[in-house]
Amino acid sequence: MLFTIATIKAKAGSEAEFEAAAQELAKAVNANEPGCLQYVLCKGEEPSTFVFVESYKDAEAVEAHRKSDHFRTLGRAMGAFMDGPPSIQRLTAA
Amino acid sequence: MLFTIATIKAKAGSEAEFEAAAQELAKAVNANEPGCLQYVLCKGEEPSTFVFVESYKDAEAVEAHRKSDHFRTLGRAMGAFMDGPPSIQRLTAA
């Protein structure tokens, strides 16, 4: 099992717009990716900070996520409200 | 739902001992904490780095985890193999 922890800072004043697009992405992932075991949007401790907690069955499922239409389209929509690129931790269940 | 992402660096040469104690803790948590929804030991991308991905039903479940005998006992056992304190991210599902 593979985990991704993706930390994202939203632009100040754009938190609600970011969150709406990010929740739309979470819904699309959970509805369309059988290899994705969880895809949960969280709020972090710091202001304007969001974190996706994601887990996948295997590397193929991660690849299917990255190549999906919803990730490309909604990822672009979220990008407009982000303050810089996401910080990504990639983890492998021990 | 609350998430904890706990990143831990094991002492060089003590990775196997750390991992054994950490897996014992994960087993005890999964067997004894109904409010804990997941408690998975992962390997991070950097050498000697481990990450617990944890989620809990609510704040009471987090508190029950912290106060549990297995967390206190096995946490101490893990501590002997850790290179400094853990780095903790506390997240709340949005």
Side-chain angles (χ1 to χ4, degrees):
Chain A
M1 187 163 53
L2 302 171
F3 288 78
T4 301
I5 312 294
T7 302
I8 295 164
K9 199 163 156 68
K11 283 182 187 161
S14 295
E15 292 86 351
E17 289 93 337
F18 173 81
E19 189 173 342
Q23 289 290 23
E24 203 180 332
L25 176 58
K27 262 187 216 160
V29 169
N30 287 311
N32 295 295
E33 295 183 32
C36 179
L37 308 174
Q38 71 183 330
Y39 201 90
V40 182
L41 180 68
C42 295
K43 292 188 180 184
E45 286 173 297
E46 291 178 33
S48 312
T49 300
F50 294 84
V51 179
F52 278 114
V53 178
E54 312 171 18
S55 62
Y56 300 89
K57 206 175 58 173
D58 53 25
E60 277 180 26
V62 175
E63 204 48 30
H65 170 67
R66 279 193 204 141
K67 289 182 174 169
S68 67
D69 283 345
H70 51 266
F71 180 67
R72 290 183 180 185
T73 308
L74 292 165
R76 206 158 31 230
M78 290 190 317
F81 306 116
M82 286 165 56
D83 188 4
S87 158
I88 309 284
Q89 296 167 263
R90 294 189 200 290
L91 312 173
T92 306
Chain B
M1 187 163 53
L2 301 171
F3 287 78
T4 301
I5 311 294
T7 302
I8 295 165
K9 198 164 156 69
K11 284 182 187 160
S14 295
E15 292 86 352
E17 289 93 336
F18 173 82
E19 188 171 343
Q23 289 289 23
E24 205 180 329
L25 176 58
K27 263 187 213 158
V29 169
N30 288 311
N32 295 296
E33 294 183 31
C36 179
L37 308 173
Q38 71 183 328
Y39 201 91
V40 183
L41 180 68
C42 295
K43 293 189 180 183
E45 285 173 297
E46 291 179 31
S48 313
T49 299
F50 293 85
V51 179
F52 278 114
V53 179
E54 313 170 18
S55 62
Y56 300 89
K57 205 175 58 175
D58 53 26
E60 277 179 26
V62 175
E63 205 48 29
H65 170 66
R66 280 192 203 140
K67 289 183 173 168
S68 66
D69 283 345
H70 52 265
F71 181 67
R72 291 184 180 185
T73 308
L74 293 166
R76 206 158 31 230
M78 289 190 318
F81 306 117
M82 285 164 57
D83 188 5
S87 159
I88 310 285
Q89 295 167 263
R90 295 189 201 289
L91 313 173
T92 306

